[in-house]
């Protein structure tokens, strides 16, 4: 086998309820993930030891939260080591990550890459790991990695890694407004803890129920889904990045049925009535100059898959 390529989608959280800080340093989550049509690809070729290159979105001179490492700190590298150890094969591969999902954007780009790497390397090495094994390895790599494998729409509990597929009636059209600079996920959680300590937002002891958003996903109308969107991390992301307040307003003023910060941000996910409305919304959002990039996407889409 000379080269195997897998791709995996970005996610948005249409519901993200964050519980109090747990003793293990994580927060209890109740989230509804939805995979959207913005994909990173990972190509794996035979090699001697591991080698990794990363190209594409935000990988140029990015620093700080957006920096994408090309060594063992990259989730793709760790995915390769973990699968090799699990399967008892040598970790030999040349890996090439082509990013369209911006880093540190709240879109789970790193998790998508890790999931795509597991799928590509499983094929390259012929390890034939079953789905349950891959999901267990994914959970060891990061809270969002199991969802990047699964795709579609799913309820995530625990740290977000315990998944239950959710029925969705249709596909929806979204516009992603991506800011110039990323936000580090741990810093956004720390800001939420601070806001809670100060009594400025509810303490999260009662996790916000996901039933309204799940009912909207079952029923179908975009306006119902727009009304049910919720993200406990939004005040923290806005606290760290006040420009997000204006970005959210720009999306709704431009005609979004609803808009929220995706995950830990700073991407704004804006929901449109249909594909044509999404194209118009994307143009209007791009014209305001508050986003570095604006992308019209659709979802749900499947999780990590081989493409060649
Ligand atoms: P999430 O929504 O899952 O909290 P995110 O989408 O905000 O995460 P990622 O793009 O997954 O953020 O990356 C966050 C950090 O992880 C990066 O700044 C980088 O240091 C590190 N990282 C490790 N591997 C990767 C990768 N393959 N692509 C991007 N970032 C990676």
């Amino acid at each position: 086998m000379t080269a195997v390529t897998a791709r995996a989608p970005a996610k948005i959280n249409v519901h993200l309820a964050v519980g109090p800080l747990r003793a293990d340093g994580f927060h209890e989550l109740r989230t509804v993930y939805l995979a959207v049509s913005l994909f990173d690809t990972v190509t794996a070729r035979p090699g001697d030891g591991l080698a990794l290159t990363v190209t594409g979105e935000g990988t140029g001179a990015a620093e700080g939260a957006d920096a994408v490492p090309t060594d063992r700190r990259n989730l793709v590298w760790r995915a390769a080591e973990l699968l090799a150890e699990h399967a008892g094969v040598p970790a030999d591969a040349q890996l090439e990550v082509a990013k369209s999902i911006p880093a540190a954007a709240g879109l789970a780009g790193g998790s998508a890459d890790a999931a795509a790497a597991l799928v590509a390397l499983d094929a390259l090495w012929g390890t034939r790991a079953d789905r349950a094994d891959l999901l267990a390895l994914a959970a060891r790599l990061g809270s969002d990695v199991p969802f990047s494998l699964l795709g579609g729409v799913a309820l995530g509990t625990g740290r977000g890694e315990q998944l239950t597929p959710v029925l969705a009636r249709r596909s929806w059209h979204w516009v992603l407004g991506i800011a110039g600079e990323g936000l580090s996920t741990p810093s956004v959680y720390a800001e939420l803890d601070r806001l809670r300590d100060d009594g400025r937002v509810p303490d999260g002891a009662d996790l916000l129920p996901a039933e309204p958003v799940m009912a909207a996903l079952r029923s179908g109308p975009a306006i119902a889904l727009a009304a049910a969107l919720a993200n406990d991390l939004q005040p923290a992301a806005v606290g760290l990045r006040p420009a997000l307040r204006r970005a959210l307003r720009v999306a709704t003023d431009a005609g979004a049925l609803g808009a929220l910060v995706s995950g830990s941000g700073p991407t704004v996910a804006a929901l449109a009535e249909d594909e044509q409305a999404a194209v118009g919304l994307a143009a209007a959002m791009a014209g305001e100059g508050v986003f570095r990039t604006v992308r019209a996407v659709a979802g749900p889409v499947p999780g990590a898959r081989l493409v060649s």
Side-chain angles (χ1 to χ4, degrees):
M1 201 173 274
T2 54
V4 185
T5 298
R7 73 174 192 181
K11 61 81 187 162
I12 56 182
N13 303 81
V14 289
H15 177 89
L16 179 51
V18 182
L21 187 61
R22 303 193 312 204
D24 65 1
F26 289 98
H27 293 78
E28 187 74 20
L29 298 188
R30 182 185 289 150
T31 187
V32 179
Y33 296 103
L34 188 145
V36 294
S37 59
L38 178 64
F39 301 94
D40 280 359
T41 66
V42 175
T43 298
R45 296 187 174 82
D48 186 10
L50 286 177
L52 174 63
T53 57
V54 183
T55 57
E57 180 66 33
T59 53
E63 288 172 8
D66 312 34
V68 179
T70 54
D71 54 18
R72 201 171 180 278
R73 289 168 300 158
N74 196 299
L75 276 182
V76 163
W77 192 291
R78 292 182 23 225
E81 288 184 336
L82 201 59
L83 179 63
E85 183 194 304
H86 168 81
V89 299
D92 288 337
Q94 285 179 44
L95 295 159
E96 198 178 301
V97 180
K99 293 193 72 70
S100 297
I101 309 171
L107 296 170
S111 303
D113 300 348
L118 288 175
V119 169
L121 288 170
D122 183 48
L124 183 77
W125 292 337
T127 42
R128 295 173 168 272
D130 62 28
R131 207 70 189 156
D133 282 350
L134 284 184
L135 283 167
L137 295 177
R140 289 173 58 190
L141 291 165
S143 306
D144 292 344
V145 185
F147 178 72
S148 301
L149 266 182
L150 190 70
V153 190
L155 175 69
T157 54
R159 291 180 284 117
E161 86 289 10
Q162 293 163 26
L163 298 175
T164 313
V166 166
L167 184 70
R169 175 166 296 266
R170 49 170 281 207
S171 174
W172 289 268
H173 293 272
W174 306 85
V175 177
L176 304 178
I178 297 156
E181 222 182 304
L183 269 178
S184 123
T185 302
S187 70
V188 177
Y189 276 96
E191 175 68 6
L192 178 65
D193 294 337
R194 209 180 58 77
L195 292 175
R196 285 178 166 171
D197 288 347
D198 292 351
R200 292 170 57 193
V201 296
D203 64 11
D206 297 318
L207 276 182
L208 194 66
E211 276 67 27
V213 81
M214 299 218 278
L217 289 163
R218 277 195 304 273
S219 73
I223 193 75
L225 181 54
L229 299 172
N231 181 2
D232 279 350
L233 285 179
Q234 186 160 305
V238 171
L240 292 178
R241 185 68 59 78
L244 269 175
R245 206 185 305 278
R246 165 136 190 267
L248 287 161
R249 206 169 37 238
V250 160
T252 40
D253 287 354
L257 299 175
L260 86 173
V261 168
S262 176
S264 54
T267 299
V268 168
L271 182 59
E273 180 62 43
D274 53 28
E275 187 171 8
Q276 205 186 343
V279 171
L281 178 59
M285 284 170 62
E288 289 295 324
V290 296
F291 301 108
R292 177 170 54 94
T293 319
V294 167
R295 301 288 299 260
V297 298
V301 296
R305 292 279 182 285
L306 286 179
V307 287
S308 64

